Amino acid sequence: MRKLLLAGLAASLALALSSPASASPQGCEALTPSPTITGAPERTITARDLLGLRDIGPTAVMFLSGSPLGISPDGRRLAFQLRQANPDTNSFCLAMFVMDLEPGSRPRLIDQGGELLRVIFARGPLAGYPSGEAQLIVPRWSPDGSAVAFLKATGGARQVWVAQADGSGSRAVTNSTTDIEDFSWSADGHDIIASTRPALAAARAAIDHEGLSGWRYDDRWSPVASNHPWPAEPLEFEYRTYNLATGSVRPASPSDRRRLDPDREALPRSGTVPPALLGAKRAWIMPIDPNLTYPVDAIHVSLGDKRSIPCKAAPCRGKFAGLWWDRNGKRLIFLRHEGWASGELGLYIWHPGYGSPRRTLETNDLLLGCQSILDRLVCMHEASTTPRKIVSIDPATGQMQTIFEPNPDFRQLKLGQVERLHWTNNRGLPIFGDLVLPPGYHGERQLPIVLVQYETRGFLRGGTGDEYPIQALAARGIAVLSLQRPKNVSSLSPSDDRSEKVRLDYGQWSDKRSVLSAIESGLSILGRRGLIDQTRVGITGLSDGSTTAQFSLLNSTLFRAASLSTCCEDPKTLFPLMGFYGDRYLTSYLYPDYTSPGTSFWQPYSIARNADRFTTPLLLQLADDEYLASLETVTSLVEKKRPVDSYIFAGEYHTKWQPAHRLAVYTRNLDWFDFWLNDREDPDPSKRAQFDRWRAWRAKTSAMDSQHTP
């Protein structure tokens, strides 16, 4: 009877759905990839090639706590959203696809269009804080496998859409006035249960009303980002159930709500690794000693018959990227960070109660969003020169097969060669980085080099924040060292005392000195190998990478040019722009009080306080919700007639998201480092004023360099 009901619902949905997946929106014809392309590479890579890559899921790993891959109930089909930036329209092409989980299958378009959904998060006590990071879109299959539901926005609030898996049509099935934040199918497939936060909209309205009589300046402010206060956490969620056949809406029942926010048996968990559940069998990860600042995790297993099977083998301790049961619940599969500076992934399989885990795959590549299907893992895979694709892995053998390659045309581009490097810094911390050399380079000359920070796992695209196009720099004849930031100095002395951790990292800028040592020692290795010209070195950075660059530029003579995506920390502006909450946060990390001179603290770190001796040409490409933090730096450098070029991008955040802006950032960074490190200019007439300005600065740099004594 239930099967008949589900079949009837599927049929009614098929009739009700509209917008069949057919013609692509204007400018999105290239979103669906062509069949696999073969043949030798034809040309070198450009900024547009990198910007035009087709993406699945967020590119920033920190926002990939789940999986963008939706697996059908029968385990035979896959759903995913494909995304491509279009700088000419300053928009994104978006489409939902379904395909069989077999190598060689072709994806079927089931929905297209909509706006890029971006992460909204809590920044400390501040609610609803916007970002430029793409939100994780999770396709969820109906219980009968006939349809796929997902979040989508078309000019209003985020809604749940449902598309028929055969591509016959799609439609919005919710009509919420506020953003849907999460959702689930009901057990019978008749309803969608969804969560919203109308309290957030109400809090914003209350702030607007408060403004009629003036806002009080308090903990709700982050002046660097906004000229009004933010709503404060916590804000409650509301849960509603939408009937697909009738469109009726009702408050979600307790059983409905558990479908959306299930009780995970109150199992402890560490980081973003969820427990593995199969029937009564449980596996989870938890710290051995949660009181330590840097705890070590361990795997725990319960077989549901009151037996708990401990795993005391070494591979069951460390840091993990995921764990799953096989379909029979006999073997546990897990991914573990390991190797030099935890720069590798190991895939293990373990039969609890029968020996130790067995490693079947060891790789420098990145595996993301994995799910256990039948007797295989389906994951997203990236390598240093291979953009993200979907693969199937046999856990018993580690054998990997490609299921879907979104960017087969990428093979037609000539890429620079990549070498993984390992070394240690002056604190004995293990470091790794990826050296990228220009296409066709065979050691015939010493190269200029640009340092890109601060994660180098998976595809080498543009560093953290994706603003420094690594392969396009290599195509200009510039080597790139993509650096993995070393662990904090305090990791050498694990402790449960936070104040001790802070003292070890921030006292005398110990951690910044450690990172600078990692940079200098890595570049020294390349210099001794005769690969690079150590008088032509550039440095880049966003966020933590930017603060590393700020410190390095004042405490090293290595760098001829710098480009930053965020800037800067200086004593007169940092505290006021962070607000009261930020003030308390900073002082908890040994930053001196705003009213304190703090000379010994700021002298090795503040560019503004050292403007008279700062000679490195500095390019700033900043979001308009952060640029105020740069004004003390820029004003000080301009007063001292130092070379600083600053650009502000409207409607941007910590990570820039608009395609036109990202192309401009890519292009200007290429021009900047080509000019300062290669003495080369783009003849494009539209760039004449830019190069005239830079040329005038270069004429003065020799005199300034002679006066530079860090």
Side-chain angles (χ1 to χ4, degrees):
M1 181 65 178
R2 183 183 174 195
K3 288 183 178 179
L4 289 175
L5 285 172
L6 288 174
L9 175 62
S12 64
L13 271 175
L15 291 173
L17 291 171
S18 58
S19 305
S22 54
S24 297
Q26 185 176 2
C28 293
E29 295 79 12
L31 179 59
T32 303
S34 302
T36 302
I37 296 171
T38 59
E42 296 178 348
R43 60 177 177 82
T44 55
I45 195 169
T46 68
R48 275 187 174 268
D49 292 321
L50 284 169
L51 188 65
L53 286 171
R54 303 174 187 91
D55 290 317
I56 301 172
T59 54
V61 176
M62 69 184 72
F63 292 103
L64 240 171
S65 57
S67 177
L69 307 177
I71 309 297
S72 64
D74 62 5
R76 299 183 182 279
R77 289 170 295 166
L78 172 72
F80 57 89
Q81 185 189 71
L82 203 59
R83 179 179 77 252
Q84 187 177 41
N86 186 335
D88 297 324
T89 60
N90 199 28
S91 63
F92 286 84
C93 300
L94 303 167
M96 188 68 64
F97 291 90
V98 165
M99 67 181 299
D100 295 334
L101 275 171
E102 295 293 338
S105 299
R106 295 287 298 153
R108 179 192 307 115
L109 179 67
I110 64 170
D111 177 81
Q112 58 187 326
E115 303 163 0
L116 179 72
L117 301 186
R118 293 177 285 117
V119 172
I120 297 173
F121 66 105
R123 181 177 177 179
L126 310 180
Y129 211 88
S131 80
E133 297 287 356
Q135 180 177 333
L136 175 65
I137 302 299
V138 181
R140 296 191 170 106
W141 288 78
S142 61
D144 68 347
S146 67
V148 177
F150 50 92
L151 290 179
K152 180 176 175 179
T154 56
R158 305 175 187 195
Q159 306 293 345
V160 178
W161 281 59
V162 171
Q164 287 299 104
D166 61 6
S168 59
S170 62
R171 70 175 176 108
V173 297
T174 61
N175 57 356
S176 175
T177 57
T178 56
D179 287 338
I180 302 288
E181 301 209 12
D182 199 6
F183 70 94
S184 175
W185 289 88
S186 63
D188 59 11
H190 291 174
D191 302 312
I192 290 288
I193 304 107
S195 65
T196 62
R197 278 206 297 178
L200 179 58
R204 287 170 173 159
I207 287 173
D208 290 343
H209 181 74
E210 178 189 347
L212 297 175
S213 57
W215 292 304
R216 184 172 185 270
Y217 187 74
D218 52 24
D219 278 1
R220 300 171 299 166
W221 289 79
S222 177
V224 68
S226 177
N227 61 357
H228 59 75
W230 294 86
E233 293 283 8
L235 295 171
E236 294 296 321
F237 286 86
E238 290 187 7
Y239 299 83
R240 293 186 175 85
T241 298
Y242 297 80
N243 184 268
L244 275 69
T246 66
S248 63
V249 185
R250 67 179 187 275
S253 66
S255 61
D256 281 347
R257 182 167 171 171
R258 282 194 295 272
R259 295 282 300 180
L260 179 59
D261 193 15
D263 179 5
R264 304 294 278 186
E265 302 278 329
L267 289 177
R269 58 188 288 182
S270 176
T272 59
V273 180
L277 311 177
L278 185 67
K281 296 185 176 183
R282 305 285 188 268
W284 66 97
I285 293 166
M286 64 180 295
I288 296 172
D289 183 352
N291 294 317
L292 293 179
T293 303
Y294 298 98
V296 175
D297 291 334
I299 293 176
H300 298 256
V301 171
S302 173
L303 299 182
D305 52 4
K306 298 185 179 180
R307 284 190 301 155
S308 179
I309 306 295
C311 181
K312 298 181 179 180
C316 291
R317 295 189 172 201
K319 288 297 180 183
F320 300 88
L323 69 166
W324 311 266
W325 292 104
D326 68 6
R327 63 173 163 178
N328 297 316
K330 293 182 178 180
R331 299 180 300 176
L332 187 69
I333 304 157
F334 59 91
L335 270 175
R336 180 177 182 268
H337 295 285
E338 55 191 30
W340 184 268
S342 300
E344 300 173 359
L345 282 175
L347 179 65
Y348 290 81
I349 190 165
W350 177 47
H351 192 161
Y354 297 89
S356 298
R358 178 171 59 92
R359 186 171 62 193
T360 62
L361 177 66
E362 182 180 13
T363 181
N364 286 334
D365 298 347
L366 198 58
L367 297 171
L368 303 162
C370 297
Q371 298 194 60
S372 179
I373 306 300
L374 302 179
D375 286 323
R376 302 185 72 83
L377 286 183
V378 176
C379 306
M380 294 182 300
H381 168 272
E382 297 179 15
S384 58
T385 58
T386 305
R388 189 172 294 177
K389 62 183 179 180
I390 302 172
V391 300
S392 170
I393 305 173
D394 182 350
T397 65
Q399 183 180 7
M400 187 182 305
Q401 288 182 304
T402 297
I403 296 294
F404 176 62
E405 187 174 7
N407 298 286
D409 40 351
F410 199 73
R411 299 182 187 179
Q412 295 298 102
L413 302 173
K414 296 177 183 178
L415 302 180
Q417 52 191 306
V418 179
E419 178 185 354
R420 173 59 61 90
L421 305 176
H422 300 109
W423 70 98
T424 57
N425 72 350
N426 63 351
R427 303 301 297 263
L429 286 167
I431 316 294
F432 69 89
D434 291 305
L435 173 65
V436 184
L437 298 172
Y441 174 75
H442 299 293
E444 58 273 14
R445 66 191 184 281
Q446 289 187 329
L447 300 167
I449 190 166
V450 169
L451 180 81
V452 173
Q453 303 183 75
Y454 52 94
E455 291 273 349
T456 185
R457 302 177 189 270
F459 178 57
L460 300 180
R461 191 166 183 163
T464 301
D466 187 23
E467 296 199 15
Y468 307 97
I470 290 172
Q471 285 288 350
L473 282 164
R476 300 277 184 107
I478 299 173
V480 176
L481 178 58
S482 178
L483 180 75
Q484 181 72 28
R485 188 199 195 282
K487 289 183 178 179
N488 287 52
V489 169
S490 57
S491 68
L492 296 170
S493 305
S495 167
D496 59 358
D497 185 346
R498 179 187 178 278
S499 62
E500 177 66 6
K501 170 186 178 296
V502 169
R503 185 191 66 79
L504 290 170
D505 286 338
Y506 287 86
Q508 303 298 313
W509 293 108
S510 295
D511 193 61
K512 291 300 179 193
R513 296 184 191 280
S514 171
V515 181
L516 176 56
S517 171
I519 294 169
E520 290 179 329
S521 54
L523 292 172
S524 178
I525 291 169
L526 299 178
R528 290 195 299 271
R529 288 174 57 180
L531 294 174
I532 66 168
D533 178 351
Q534 294 189 76
T535 68
R536 293 188 291 159
V537 179
I539 189 170
T540 68
L542 166 78
S543 198
D544 180 78
S546 176
T547 60
T548 290
Q550 177 178 337
F551 182 85
S552 300
L553 289 166
L554 291 172
N555 293 273
S556 175
T557 58
L558 269 176
F559 307 105
R560 180 180 287 191
S563 176
L564 303 182
S565 310
T566 49
C567 174
C568 289
E569 294 190 2
D570 280 310
K572 293 180 182 178
T573 49
L574 180 62
F575 279 78
L577 290 173
M578 291 288 285
F580 291 152
Y581 171 79
D583 184 313
R584 294 193 299 274
Y585 177 84
L586 290 167
T587 54
S588 76
Y589 281 91
L590 301 187
Y591 283 67
D593 292 342
Y594 182 62
T595 53
S596 167
T599 302
S600 61
F601 180 90
W602 287 110
Q603 194 57 36
Y605 186 52
S606 165
I607 293 177
R609 286 202 174 180
N610 291 277
D612 57 346
R613 69 180 184 92
F614 190 90
T615 62
T616 307
L618 179 61
L619 173 65
L620 304 177
Q621 303 199 81
L622 311 173
D624 63 345
D625 85 329
E626 292 185 331
Y627 85 96
L628 291 176
S630 73
L631 296 186
E632 185 178 352
T633 307
V634 172
T635 303
S636 299
L637 292 176
V638 169
E639 279 190 357
K640 296 296 183 179
K641 297 181 172 54
R642 299 321 193 204
V644 57
D645 217 5
S646 186
Y647 295 83
I648 318 299
F649 292 88
E652 290 292 3
Y653 303 96
H654 193 61
T655 301
K656 300 176 187 70
W657 65 278
Q658 296 180 56
H661 292 169
R662 291 183 55 226
L663 180 60
V665 167
Y666 268 179
T667 302
R668 191 172 288 117
N669 276 320
L670 290 169
D671 288 345
W672 180 258
F673 288 113
D674 218 6
F675 178 84
W676 291 104
L677 305 184
N678 271 333
D679 195 19
R680 192 159 51 203
E681 299 181 19
D682 187 336
D684 183 346
S686 67
K687 298 180 180 180
R688 182 176 302 164
Q690 164 184 284
F691 286 109
D692 286 347
R693 186 167 59 253
W694 297 352
R695 207 179 308 112
W697 289 338
R698 185 173 59 191
K700 301 176 182 178
T701 54
S702 296
M704 288 190 295
D705 285 340
S706 65
Q707 300 171 7
H708 186 175
T709 54

